[in-house]
Amino acid sequence: MIVRSLPRKSPWILRKSCILLIQRRLVTQNADPLRILFCGADEFSIASLKALHHEKLVNPDLIESLDVVCKVGKKYGRGLKKVREVPIVAATQELSLPLHQLETFTGWQCPRPDDQTINLVIAVSFGLLIPPRILETAKYGGINVHPSLLPDFRGAAPIHWALLHNCKATGITLQTLHHRHFDQGNILLQTPHPGLEIPKPDVITPTELSAFLAPKGAEILLRGLRERVFLSEPDPKPASGLTRPAPKITPEDWHIDWGKWSAQDILRRHRVLGPLWSKATAGRPQGGNQKRIIWSSGFEKVQASLNDAEPGLGLISSSDTNIYIRTIDQQTLRAKSVIVEGSGKKAAAYAVKNADMVDLDTKHVMGTAETLQLWSRFT
């Protein structure tokens, strides 16, 4: 028989291991079962809610109660008689969990499951800042699941901005809820650097990336609860040193900047955000007024030389119903259909002709016998 001696650990390493083990045991012994107030809204948050509900069933010593908070549905339709609920409402009802809906937290009081106070607030894609008075009444404060490697992409739309920046990897952060600001809490757990590889980053949509990240967020949340990380000192070292903002998407983010965006930038924006828009002058040649054009069909890059056409200059062909536009990087984009402000979706050339957006002059600009009519420059 061959006997091998095991490598000896230094007294310092053994001492540290014992201290960590004792700390974990003390945390488990001293922590109360969790009475959770879960604040969510969308499909990303639903994955975490379902994971918490399952954990509550199989591990009641960890999770004693689970209440759900979401914003009230939006009214729509004629007379605003219909209500569009946020997705988490149906999921909450399916799980038979207590549901609380609110417009704001002003005047709102926390539920008291079995006449006991909530002791942990969890927010996942909620959209409202949890007020200090709610967080201070919870014994363990609040935590948040955020789909980025904070502090990178701090803000309301981290998934969209990660794709707009053409990122190849991203991750999940479990952080404490800051009392005054979004995404400025202490990092408790985080996907290790360099993060999770984004599947097919050149074609994936925000909905698809959200579906990919949702179970990862649920996993890191459950890990944090089981390890009671909200009781320990947070690790101040983030996985990423980048600090790119991820603010809420606004209408201007759909507005094409023809003087700056390359053809690839425009194609990526359409994939991530949906139909983009520009403005052009209607009512030519009298002068007219500026109207919005929504590029409903998106664009495709084509091989066509527009010679010295300026970026953002649109032209229509005598042989088809498309619009051809020059980009800042001297590429040509083709749009098949558009929506001109005040009218419905039409073939691109027909739509701009009907709005009197076409110049009467014609030019041979493609280096062939095909004639294209000059259209107002997009702005």
Side-chain angles (χ1 to χ4, degrees):
M1 181 176 66
I2 300 174
V3 179
R4 293 187 178 91
S5 60
L6 296 175
R8 297 181 61 184
K9 294 184 179 180
S10 70
W12 182 86
I13 293 176
L14 289 172
R15 190 182 308 117
K16 185 176 181 181
S17 300
C18 291
I19 292 173
L20 289 174
L21 181 61
I22 293 171
Q23 286 178 338
R24 289 194 188 101
R25 287 178 177 174
L26 287 175
V27 164
T28 303
Q29 292 170 0
N30 295 336
D32 299 330
L34 297 176
R35 296 181 293 276
I36 297 172
L37 183 68
F38 184 88
C39 307
D42 59 9
E43 297 294 339
F44 182 82
S45 60
I46 289 173
S48 291
L49 177 63
K50 289 182 175 180
L52 290 174
H53 177 257
H54 180 265
E55 188 72 10
K56 176 178 178 294
L57 295 178
V58 301
N59 191 2
D61 290 338
L62 177 62
I63 301 177
E64 181 177 304
S65 67
L66 181 58
D67 284 64
V68 180
V69 172
C70 69
K71 291 186 282 188
V72 297
K74 292 184 178 181
K75 295 182 178 181
Y76 71 100
R78 181 173 294 181
L80 300 178
K81 295 180 180 179
K82 298 181 179 180
V83 177
R84 183 179 292 109
E85 300 285 6
V86 293
I88 204 169
V89 170
T92 304
Q93 293 170 343
E94 180 184 337
L95 299 173
S96 299
L97 293 172
L99 176 66
H100 314 272
Q101 293 181 273
L102 48 75
E103 288 275 6
T104 70
F105 280 101
T106 303
W108 188 81
Q109 298 298 321
C110 259
R112 292 180 58 85
D114 296 327
D115 203 32
Q116 298 189 76
T117 58
I118 295 292
N119 58 16
L120 179 66
V121 179
I122 299 177
V124 185
S125 295
F126 184 50
L128 291 177
L129 192 69
I130 314 296
R133 67 177 180 85
I134 301 292
L135 296 176
E136 289 167 359
T137 58
K139 181 178 180 179
Y140 304 125
I143 58 177
N144 164 249
V145 178
H146 186 81
S148 83
L149 296 176
L150 289 173
D152 202 20
F153 296 122
R154 174 185 288 151
I159 290 177
H160 290 77
W161 286 105
L163 294 179
L164 289 175
H165 280 271
N166 200 29
C167 294
K168 306 302 180 185
T170 185
I172 301 291
T173 300
L174 184 66
Q175 61 171 332
T176 61
L177 285 172
H178 194 280
H179 285 209
R180 301 293 178 187
H181 306 286
F182 287 109
D183 302 327
Q184 293 191 26
N186 295 320
I187 294 175
L188 301 173
L189 290 174
Q190 194 170 60
T191 306
H193 184 77
L196 300 167
E197 184 177 341
I198 296 176
K200 300 179 180 179
D202 295 329
V203 297
I204 195 170
T205 66
T207 300
E208 293 167 341
L209 182 54
S210 178
F212 170 74
L213 291 175
K216 314 295 184 185
E219 289 172 11
I220 203 168
L221 173 60
L222 285 185
R223 177 189 161 195
L225 297 186
R226 291 166 182 162
E227 296 179 6
R228 307 291 182 132
V229 294
F230 48 85
L231 295 178
S232 59
E233 288 295 323
D235 183 358
K237 297 178 181 178
S240 171
L242 299 174
T243 56
R244 292 166 290 189
K248 181 180 179 180
I249 301 297
T250 69
E252 276 302 310
D253 293 313
W254 281 277
H255 189 180
I256 299 176
D257 189 339
W258 295 98
K260 292 183 179 180
W261 296 359
S262 68
Q264 194 59 45
D265 291 335
I266 294 169
L267 294 173
R268 183 182 302 117
R269 285 251 171 178
H270 178 82
R271 169 170 58 89
V272 175
L273 302 180
L276 309 176
W277 62 274
S278 302
K279 282 190 173 183
T281 302
R284 297 171 63 88
Q286 291 80 9
N289 60 306
Q290 289 272 298
K291 282 193 174 184
R292 182 176 294 194
I293 299 96
I294 300 174
W295 304 99
S296 54
S297 66
F299 302 94
E300 56 183 332
K301 196 186 299 186
V302 295
Q303 295 294 326
S305 174
L306 299 188
N307 294 340
D308 297 326
E310 296 179 1
L313 195 65
L315 302 106
I316 59 175
S317 170
S318 58
S319 62
D320 59 37
T321 59
N322 303 319
I323 293 176
Y324 298 85
I325 312 102
R326 180 71 171 271
T327 61
I328 190 68
D329 56 339
Q330 300 182 350
Q331 301 294 314
T332 302
L333 295 179
R334 178 171 63 193
K336 293 184 177 181
S337 62
V338 301
I339 299 173
V340 175
E341 182 179 346
S343 64
K345 181 178 178 179
K346 297 177 182 177
Y350 293 151
V352 299
K353 285 180 179 179
N354 290 344
D356 292 327
M357 290 179 170
V358 179
D359 198 305
L360 295 178
D361 295 330
T362 61
K363 291 188 177 182
H364 297 272
V365 294
M366 293 186 72
T368 69
E370 187 174 13
T371 300
L372 293 111
Q373 293 177 292
L374 186 62
W375 185 30
S376 299
R377 185 186 178 196
F378 303 126
T379 58

